Amino acid sequence: MIALLSQPWPWYVSGAVIALVMVLLLFFGKSFGFSSNLRTICAACGAGRHVKFFDFDWRAQIWNLLFLVGAILGGFISAEFLTSNEAVQISQATVQDLRALGISAPDDLQPEEIFGLEALLTVKGFLVLLLGGFAIGFGTRYAGGCTSGHAISGLSNLQLPSLIAVIGFFIGGLITTFVLLPLIF
Amino acid sequence: MKSLKFILAGILFGIVMSKSEAISWFRIQEMFRFQSFHMYGIIGTAVLLGTVVTYLIKKYKLRDFQGNPILFTPKEMSVPRYLVGGTIFGLGWALTGACPGPMFVNIGHSYWAILVAIGGALAGTYVYGVVRDRLPH
């Protein structure tokens, strides 16, 4: 059983489990949307004293922070007990495209060139993660949700605004992939 | 138990994000290059099943564990907000290979560099809060 769970899961199993997580939260009386946590953390750190947007009862959102803690634990459990130590099996075409950028084929989940300590300690490497993160935080709040809130919950509820947001996700993603990455790397 | 169920749901989410490899920068790159069906399959399956369940919840007016009706609030319509906000998010998603959930799952995998991205995301959220009133919504 553990051996089976330790393999990378096929897309249809993964998609079904994500839908299950969303449904569980609905039956817990909540809705699936991860990025609200970023706002909650800002509020919990006292940002509400200076900015109205963070002046709300963040304690009502503690359930979502617990979900966040669970997500970290889930990552830890996967890394410690459910790992097959296999490199991510991405397509050969992607491997070649990335090699042209100077990023070597996967031997783990993340590329050393971005997540390794050596990359992190360069100005470029640090800024890639910091500014990438900044765009994520700013963009999700502006768009009112991220992949879980819009692409999963919103599309499941046939919300046109979510579809527009997802189209935006792809416009941004394609700009980074085909314009910014070749400039950066 | 009240809190535990959210932690357990989070654990399930962290495991599925890991084992589906959706937390991998490589998989996100592969998706934006349209070179594999994997990520589309994951999101597609989740949305398809999610749509069916959402429909059934509404049709049969199902209630949550505490007996309260499960309600879905329609999102307010706006094009600039979702299109511009979404595009900015997409820029960061493809750069770091992580959306807000997977960012935290990566901590569990000891990819400590992701803490820089999380710091950036909190800063981005804060700045949004500051300039919010000056943006078209």
Side-chain angles (χ1 to χ4, degrees), chain A residues 5-9 11-12 14-23 26-30 32 34-35 38-39 41-42 47 51 53-54 63 66-68 70-72 74-79 82 88-91 93-94 97-98 101 103-104 106 108-111 114-115 120 126 128-130 132-144 146-147 150-152 155-157 159 161-162 164-165 168-170 172-178 181 184, chain B residues 3 5-7 9-21 23-27 29-35 37-38 40-43 45-47 49-51 53-54 57-58 62-65 70 72-96 98-101 103-109 111 113-114 116-117 119-132 135-137:
Chain A
L5 288 178
S6 297
Q7 302 298 317
W9 297 359
W11 55 265
Y12 44 90
S14 308
V17 175
I18 294 171
L20 173 68
V21 170
M22 181 188 89
V23 172
L26 285 174
F27 279 97
F28 293 162
K30 311 293 177 190
F32 182 35
F34 207 103
S35 61
L38 297 168
R39 182 185 179 206
I41 294 171
C42 285
V51 185
F53 182 62
F54 301 107
W63 71 269
L66 294 171
F67 184 78
L68 179 154
I72 298 176
F76 179 77
I77 292 168
S78 305
L82 298 175
V88 183
Q89 299 291 318
I90 53 169
S91 78
T94 312
D97 281 2
L98 294 179
L101 287 175
I103 291 170
S104 42
D108 200 355
L109 273 173
Q110 307 296 12
I114 296 176
F115 288 81
L120 187 67
F126 188 80
V128 161
L129 287 173
L130 188 73
F134 188 92
I136 290 171
F138 189 92
T140 46
R141 241 14 318 116
Y142 192 4
C146 60
T147 335
H150 277 311
I152 309 287
L155 290 186
S156 290
N157 191 22
Q159 293 289 299
S162 291
I164 300 171
F169 297 171
F170 268 82
L174 294 176
I175 293 174
T176 292
T177 300
F178 293 102
L181 286 181
I184 297 170
Chain B
S3 325
K5 63 177 187 284
F6 294 114
I7 298 181
I11 290 177
L12 185 61
F13 176 76
I15 292 177
V16 67
M17 285 291 115
S18 303
K19 297 316 296 177
S20 66
E21 299 175 336
I23 63 164
S24 167
W25 187 91
F26 290 111
R27 282 290 187 198
Q29 266 302 301
E30 188 187 49
M31 172 182 78
F32 281 126
R33 290 169 190 276
F34 304 102
Q35 286 164 336
F37 180 70
H38 185 78
Y40 298 100
I42 294 174
I43 299 172
T45 309
V47 171
L49 292 173
T51 308
V53 178
T54 306
I57 289 176
K58 286 181 181 173
L62 296 183
R63 289 165 180 273
D64 66 21
F65 288 158
I70 298 177
F72 298 90
T73 346
K75 296 182 194 294
E76 256 175 71
M77 191 53 198
S78 155
V79 174
R81 169 170 194 195
Y82 299 110
L83 202 58
V84 178
T87 301
I88 296 172
F89 165 67
L91 291 171
W93 187 15
L95 201 55
T96 63
C99 35
M103 269 184 174
F104 289 95
V105 180
N106 266 298
I107 298 179
H109 286 260
Y111 285 111
I114 203 74
V116 176
L122 289 171
T125 304
Y126 183 78
V127 170
Y128 169 75
V130 174
V131 300
R132 185 166 191 266
L135 298 171
H137 277 83

